[in-house]
Amino acid sequence: LRNLANEAALLAAREDKARLDKEHFSQAFDRVLLGPKRDEVITSTDKRRIAYHEAGHALVAMIEPEAEKPHRVSIIPRGQTGGVNLFTPDELRIQHGISFFKAKLATLLGGRAADRIVYREPDAGHENDLRQATKLARYMVTHWGMSERLGPMSFRIGEEHVFLGKELQEPRDFSEGTAQVIDEEVSKLLREADERAYQLLVENRSTLERIVETLLVNEELDRAGLEAIVNQQPDFSVNGSTEPLADRPLIVKP
Amino acid sequence: LRNLANEAALLAAREDKARLDKEHFSQAFDRVLLGPKRDEVITSTDKRRIAYHEAGHALVAMIEPEAEKPHRVSIIPRGQTGGVNLFTPDELRIQHGISFFKAKLATLLGGRAADRIVYREPDAGHENDLRQATKLARYMVTHWGMSERLGPMSFRIGEEHVFLGKELQEPRDFSEGTAQVIDEEVSKLLREADERAYQLLVENRSTLERIVETLLVNEELDRAGLEAIVNQQPDFSVNGSTEPLADRPLIVKP
Amino acid sequence: LRNLANEAALLAAREDKARLDKEHFSQAFDRVLLGPKRDEVITSTDKRRIAYHEAGHALVAMIEPEAEKPHRVSIIPRGQTGGVNLFTPDELRIQHGISFFKAKLATLLGGRAADRIVYREPDAGHENDLRQATKLARYMVTHWGMSERLGPMSFRIGEEHVFLGKELQEPRDFSEGTAQVIDEEVSKLLREADERAYQLLVENRSTLERIVETLLVNEELDRAGLEAIVNQQPDFSVNGSTEPLADRPLIVKP
Amino acid sequence: LRNLANEAALLAAREDKARLDKEHFSQAFDRVLLGPKRDEVITSTDKRRIAYHEAGHALVAMIEPEAEKPHRVSIIPRGQTGGVNLFTPDELRIQHGISFFKAKLATLLGGRAADRIVYREPDAGHENDLRQATKLARYMVTHWGMSERLGPMSFRIGEEHVFLGKELQEPRDFSEGTAQVIDEEVSKLLREADERAYQLLVENRSTLERIVETLLVNEELDRAGLEAIVNQQPDFSVNGSTEPLADRPLIVKP
Amino acid sequence: LRNLANEAALLAAREDKARLDKEHFSQAFDRVLLGPKRDEVITSTDKRRIAYHEAGHALVAMIEPEAEKPHRVSIIPRGQTGGVNLFTPDELRIQHGISFFKAKLATLLGGRAADRIVYREPDAGHENDLRQATKLARYMVTHWGMSERLGPMSFRIGEEHVFLGKELQEPRDFSEGTAQVIDEEVSKLLREADERAYQLLVENRSTLERIVETLLVNEELDRAGLEAIVNQQPDFSVNGSTEPLADRPLIVKP
Amino acid sequence: LRNLANEAALLAAREDKARLDKEHFSQAFDRVLLGPKRDEVITSTDKRRIAYHEAGHALVAMIEPEAEKPHRVSIIPRGQTGGVNLFTPDELRIQHGISFFKAKLATLLGGRAADRIVYREPDAGHENDLRQATKLARYMVTHWGMSERLGPMSFRIGEEHVFLGKELQEPRDFSEGTAQVIDEEVSKLLREADERAYQLLVENRSTLERIVETLLVNEELDRAGLEAIVNQQPDFSVNGSTEPLADRPLIVKP
């Protein structure tokens, strides 16, 4: 299979080798058939770290009034990213305004915020969250006209489409100066969401701890379980208000 | 079918997965055969939001003296964009001057203007409007000599053509400094049209509301219906004048 | 036929659709077989606008001493551009100096000048004129050493050649700063030609009107007809002089 | 075999020749079958230099509290790089924070630090170390949000993926100004790690020498051997502290 | 034949048409078989202009002490460029210093200089001369270390090579700032050569006229003929000196 | 043969012709079979010039303490470059420090230095030396961490690799500002080496002359011959010291 050859090539590339050997093909065979191997045993330290990360996402989503609410949160390892896939941008394109997406950004950065609060440093494990948040912020700025500085204008940001069975790469269609403003606007949205998520979790630290303890016992929590924990907490606060929870679903995959 | 494989690949890409599985192929099969799935049920809140958006386009078109007039406006969901496809640039290339295209820009941004007036924020749903308006404004500036600052000069903006069965990508043929001026001129046209659409809808707010109410009842309005509503309104005004409606058609697809 | 598929794809692309349907193929079939459809009926308003545009080209060519003289001018719609194809750059490369090409630029912008004089705004219909004039001005500056600021130097401006049956794309071979100077020099040539054409037509407005009236009656005018009109006009002037008409042909296709 | 042709072409390219001859094919044949030829005999001077380099990596890893510990260190030449392959970035992505990766950077630059201390100049032999360290630092800054200046944002840095059997090259998606900040942040991380490794080895010079002497005798040292040497040294110090050695493995290939 | 299709495509492209018709194929057939058509009749005005141009090249070459001397000069039209192909860069690479190449640049710009002296403006016909001179000046600066400002350094300027049957496009390998300096150095070499050629021809105007008159009668002049004219002229001067003519050949094709 | 077609195409390209004719194929046939033709007869002037150039390389290598010593120096013309191929970068990557490579740079620029001393100008014949020296200096700065300003960082400079039978072009991964610093650091290394080579040859001019005279008589000199000449000279000096010659070989091909 061609796929097999590609996998083998990738493995070789990772080791910076110029030639393939049988070992690469053998490993590639396993990957193509069985999926990437995950360590079977996770230490309890790592489990706790994952739990804080996932709880961070979930709690920000529960608290932010405009955010979609999670169906379930889990720390069972599965697939590549180990936990959260919040949305597909295409599905969200219609009918949502800027505040909805700001809440989404805060939710996406909720895991990172929890890491920073508990472990005092950002964690390489949120790579995918960062990528998704950045992608969403770029869309808000370049496709949805949500930056005052850039105004009602659309920017083609070098995406590739598959069209009629071949790729058309459409190059960037704006100037370097505009690219700079776009970067600044995207950065501003992300910093604000990061700050917001951090602050929310600090204010609701004991709720965060309770979710983590429950996750370490049960490995999963559904919507009802999350609501029970959130509502019963004395320190639950959103800048002082106590919003009823909105009811749009947020898919939190384990 | 090759198409099928592409669709499946796209679905996998959306989920940031490196491998295709049967589920992707199955979803792709549905898409290729049946078209992208739309949610069958739209909430009444969403329906109202769509109605304001479409009414915004339609009303700006009716009021702007130079604008093409819509055949029909509709809130029945269909296809990808959910409502409006105002023009194909190629068909408009001949015989129209700058004021015609400025009216077109205002019409394209009419939906966004209505969102901002009613919901106080821009909406991700106007992505396509923004793209079309930006494309038109770029054409005005780069191909039709309609910017005083850039003068009677044509700029190749990196489009691709299919020519003799193969793509020729012609690269940008001007400097970074010129790219900056082009961006500024395009932005200026779009901001002015945005402002104009916003102002027109504020001045004719009650007409906008009447169109929305009618759309929520009937789901569609034809040209005659629109004219009836517009003409009967006491607050109908275009900067004070009361222009007779021009009679070139504007296709507003549902 | 492959061509058919391409046409269909282009039609789909115009409507921003990701898939082709039978309608696209049917339209494409018509286009490939019959050529692009033109509206059969042109309003008298549009006819007049076309006449002014074509007369603008022709009159500048007749008046400019260095310009090639038109064989014929016509307002019968045919093909894509609806009227004028003045030259092929390759044929002109030998034996002509800078003043010849400046006259050519003025002729190319003569249609736009007429639009501005009569309709008070530039017109999207001169897209092709702008492209040709810009291309010529770029050649003068980058290939023919006709800019004092850039001097006796040749610049490769990213053209593609078909060579031995495959495209070689040669990238730009100069710096950003030089690209800026090239843009400025090209712009200067075009602005001067635009100004010149505008001024010539204002000075000879009544001749322009007479050509237009004749075109609206006859639809075509040959060289002799043009000369008759130009010579009989009392206000005929080229900055005061009355040059005999040079006799090199200028192909003005209808 | 195609591979053969490529190898031959590469050999020809190295000698700047435009044509292949039989000698190239013969050499290429050897390379494809037997792997790149290494000199059989290494002088004792070179052996000592290699030993310092490898001991530098190993000692920094042993001393840095957060660093993964080496399984083995060796000076037996094998393969292309002659000694150390510390990690594959993908395997590290989850659960590690910024201090872990800073220790990793110091370990990677430990060989270079030893060269500088002993031979007073950087050495071309650490090319691969530099590449890996730079790659890791770029990931920290662009994918893992570990730069204060750039904040919680992800940057696509022009990598290629093999996807569905074809490469998709995704271009850079940020501005020149942002690229400059990224370079500065990456450089800062690397300079700090370089300084740290240098300082640690200076402070533990006699331990370094003891590892080198042992390597020159035994050619390899396993984890236990390294620990024995490190623990028995009177001058063992990590900024004064005496951390117990952590127990995560670090693969140091010979 | 594929070639035929390409020729036809090029012809269509020149007329900015999207489709090929039989006429294009017919014209293309002629081109592929018979070579590009040249007008059979050249006016005497044009003949004189060509004669000045070719005489300009030849006279500068005869006068410049370091320049290669022409075998023959001719005004018989043949092939595309109508007259002069002075050298192939590859053949000159060895053993020549900067003064040799400066003389070459002056020779290449000699035709343009004659045009400017006699017709008071540069001429589109020297496009090929400009391209060759620029290419040579770029080589001097980027490959032969002949610029003081850039020093002993080689710059890869984006050339393409055919290697092993496929193109390798090697991108530019230096910064924008360096590109700017290269442009300035190339421009300086070309301006100096242009100035030198102009001055030499002004000083030897009557010799130039005599060569032209002879060419208009004979259509060709060989080396001996050129020498006879040059030596017999009273105003022959090279900044006062009277160098014996060097004897390296310079191929001047008609 | 495909190769044949390519050669023919290259020949046509050199003459700026768009079509191939039989002559091109005939010449190409000779090239592919017999190698590029070299003039059989070299004038004594050219021979002397070559001798100075090669002697320049050899003498710098003999004098520089850190430089590899030449096996042989020759002025017999062979192959394309006519004389010297000092090293392949890949073979040098291990175990050498910055001073070794600086000596290598001086050796590479030794030919140019001799040209400048004897003929007062740089010579186009050292194109290949410049390219190799620049490539080495770029490697020192971008891959081997040998620039203080850039520090311990690796830079991907747009090289292409053949990997798994297809090229992967990896684009530049750093900013414009960094590119500027790289250029400056590379330039500094080259200027210093150029200066050093020039100075060494001036100081040892009579040794240079003796090597040249011997070469003109014998056409080749081996290592022993070179040492005999160098050691017997009274003016032999390396900044005053008299280093014993190191014994690593330096291949100087004729």
Side-chain angles (χ1 to χ4, degrees), chain B residues 34 44 53 59 98 100 104 130 144 165 167 174 182 222 240 244:
Chain B
L34 310 175
S44 63
H53 188 93
L59 185 51
I98 197 171
F100 173 82
K104 180 71 77 185
L130 264 195
W144 300 335
E167 294 81 19
F174 47 86
I182 289 173
D222 62 7

Side-chain angles (χ1 to χ4, degrees), chain B:
Chain B
L1 216 72
R2 177 176 191 116
N3 239 24
L4 203 66
N6 282 329
E7 278 290 338
L10 285 171
L11 289 169
R14 263 193 215 154
E15 303 174 34
D16 255 280
K17 292 190 175 163
R19 293 175 312 122
L20 297 177
D21 53 38
K22 275 141 253 157
E23 196 175 11
H24 295 131
F25 273 100
S26 151
Q27 286 175 40
F29 191 75
D30 284 1
R31 283 181 76 115
V32 170
L33 255 68
L34 310 175
K37 193 165 63 184
R38 294 289 305 263
D39 295 332
E40 293 307 299
V41 187
I42 296 185
T43 65
S44 63
T45 313
D46 282 354
K47 213 169 207 166
R48 179 168 290 273
R49 198 150 186 168
I50 292 172
Y52 273 112
H53 188 93
E54 300 305 332
H57 285 301
L59 185 51
V60 172
M62 294 301 285
I63 298 174
E64 271 282 14
E66 289 269 348
E68 289 181 312
K69 303 306 161 200
H71 272 163
R72 201 172 40 184
V73 60
S74 158
I75 59 169
I76 304 170
R78 191 182 312 166
Q80 268 189 316
T81 57
V84 179
N85 189 350
L86 291 161
F87 69 107
T88 310
D90 298 304
E91 298 167 7
L92 296 173
R93 270 214 290 252
I94 300 169
Q95 255 70 273
H96 292 299
I98 197 171
S99 51
F100 173 82
F101 294 112
K102 284 185 171 177
K104 180 71 77 185
L105 288 177
T107 303
L108 281 164
L109 296 175
R112 171 185 155 98
D115 298 338
R116 283 161 67 214
I117 291 168
V118 180
Y119 299 98
R120 305 271 142 217
E121 57 179 21
D123 184 313
H126 74 307
E127 178 176 347
N128 212 35
D129 299 342
L130 264 195
R131 189 150 38 204
Q132 281 188 294
T134 304
K135 197 174 179 178
L136 175 55
R138 277 204 188 275
Y139 259 82
M140 293 170 69
V141 166
T142 59
H143 285 50
W144 300 335
M146 291 176 178
S147 150
E148 280 298 326
R149 272 178 79 193
L150 288 161
M153 191 161 163
S154 180
F155 302 90
R156 194 171 61 197
I157 49 174
E159 54 266 49
E160 299 208 26
H161 343 236
V162 175
F163 171 65
L164 263 187
K166 56 181 17 166
E167 294 81 19
L168 293 186
Q169 166 125 32
E170 295 189 79
R172 200 173 83 173
D173 62 357
F174 47 86
S175 69
E176 213 19 70
T178 302
Q180 183 72 43
V181 176
I182 289 173
D183 279 3
E184 288 166 17
E185 289 295 277
V186 170
S187 174
K188 201 171 134 222
L189 282 173
L190 290 166
R191 281 180 199 275
E192 284 170 4
D194 196 44
E195 199 48 49
R196 171 93 175 139
Y198 190 88
Q199 186 188 344
L200 283 178
L201 293 185
V202 165
E203 287 171 8
N204 296 278
R205 178 67 187 265
S206 64
T207 313
L208 179 71
E209 299 295 342
R210 203 158 302 195
I211 295 173
V212 167
E213 297 313 322
T214 314
L215 277 175
L216 288 175
V217 175
N218 298 346
E219 295 207 314
E220 286 201 348
L221 252 173
D222 62 7
R223 174 77 178 278
L226 278 169
E227 280 183 15
I229 293 174
V230 169
N231 289 329
Q232 123 192 80
Q233 293 299 327
D235 72 338
F236 176 58
S237 76
V238 184
N239 299 352
S241 79
T242 49
E243 308 282 340
L245 296 172
D247 54 38
R248 290 182 228 140
L250 167 71
I251 303 145
V252 177
K253 298 194 195 145

Side-chain angles (χ1 to χ4, degrees), chain D residues 167-184:
Chain D
E167 294 81 19
L168 292 186
Q169 166 125 31
E170 294 188 79
R172 201 173 83 175
D173 62 356
F174 46 85
S175 68
E176 214 16 72
T178 301
Q180 183 72 41
V181 177
I182 289 173
D183 279 4
E184 287 166 18

Side-chain angles (χ1 to χ4, degrees), chain D residues 11-17 24, chain F residues 53-54 57 68 70-74 78 81-89 91-92 104 107-108 128-129 132 249-254:
Chain D
L11 289 169
R14 265 193 214 154
E15 303 174 35
D16 255 280
K17 292 191 174 162
H24 295 133
Chain F
H53 188 94
E54 300 305 332
H57 285 301
E68 290 180 312
H71 272 163
R72 201 173 39 186
V73 60
S74 157
R78 192 181 311 168
T81 57
V84 179
N85 188 348
L86 292 161
F87 68 106
T88 312
E91 298 167 8
L92 296 173
K104 179 72 76 186
T107 304
L108 282 164
N128 212 36
D129 299 341
Q132 281 188 293
L250 166 71
I251 303 147
V252 177
K253 299 194 195 146

Side-chain angles (χ1 to χ4, degrees), chain A residues 3 7 31-36 80 85 88 90 92-101 128 131 135 139 142-146 148-156 159 162 164-166 168-178 253, chain B residues 2-3 6 10 13-19 38 42 45-47 49-50 80-82 109 112 121-128 130-134 138 157-160 165-167 169 172 176 179-183 186-187 190-191 194:
Chain A
N3 240 25
E7 277 291 338
R31 283 181 76 115
V32 170
L33 255 67
L34 310 175
Q80 268 189 315
N85 188 348
T88 312
D90 297 304
L92 297 172
R93 269 214 291 251
I94 299 170
Q95 256 69 273
H96 292 299
I98 197 171
S99 50
F100 173 82
F101 293 112
N128 212 35
R131 189 152 38 205
K135 196 173 180 179
Y139 259 83
T142 59
H143 285 50
W144 299 336
M146 290 176 178
E148 280 298 325
R149 273 178 79 192
L150 289 160
M153 191 160 164
S154 179
F155 302 90
R156 194 172 62 198
E159 49 275 40
V162 175
L164 263 187
K166 57 182 15 167
L168 293 187
Q169 166 125 33
E170 294 188 79
R172 200 173 83 175
D173 62 356
F174 46 86
S175 69
E176 213 19 70
T178 301
K253 299 193 194 146
Chain B
R2 177 176 191 116
N3 239 24
N6 282 329
L10 285 171
R14 263 193 215 154
E15 303 174 34
D16 255 280
K17 292 190 175 163
R19 293 175 312 122
R38 294 289 305 263
I42 296 185
T45 313
D46 282 354
K47 213 169 207 166
R49 198 150 186 168
I50 292 172
Q80 268 189 316
T81 57
L109 296 175
R112 171 185 155 98
E121 57 179 21
D123 184 313
H126 74 307
E127 178 176 347
N128 212 35
L130 264 195
R131 189 150 38 204
Q132 281 188 294
T134 304
R138 277 204 188 275
I157 49 174
E159 54 266 49
E160 299 208 26
K166 56 181 17 166
E167 294 81 19
Q169 166 125 32
R172 200 173 83 173
E176 213 19 70
Q180 183 72 43
V181 176
I182 289 173
D183 279 3
V186 170
S187 174
L190 290 166
R191 281 180 199 275
D194 196 44

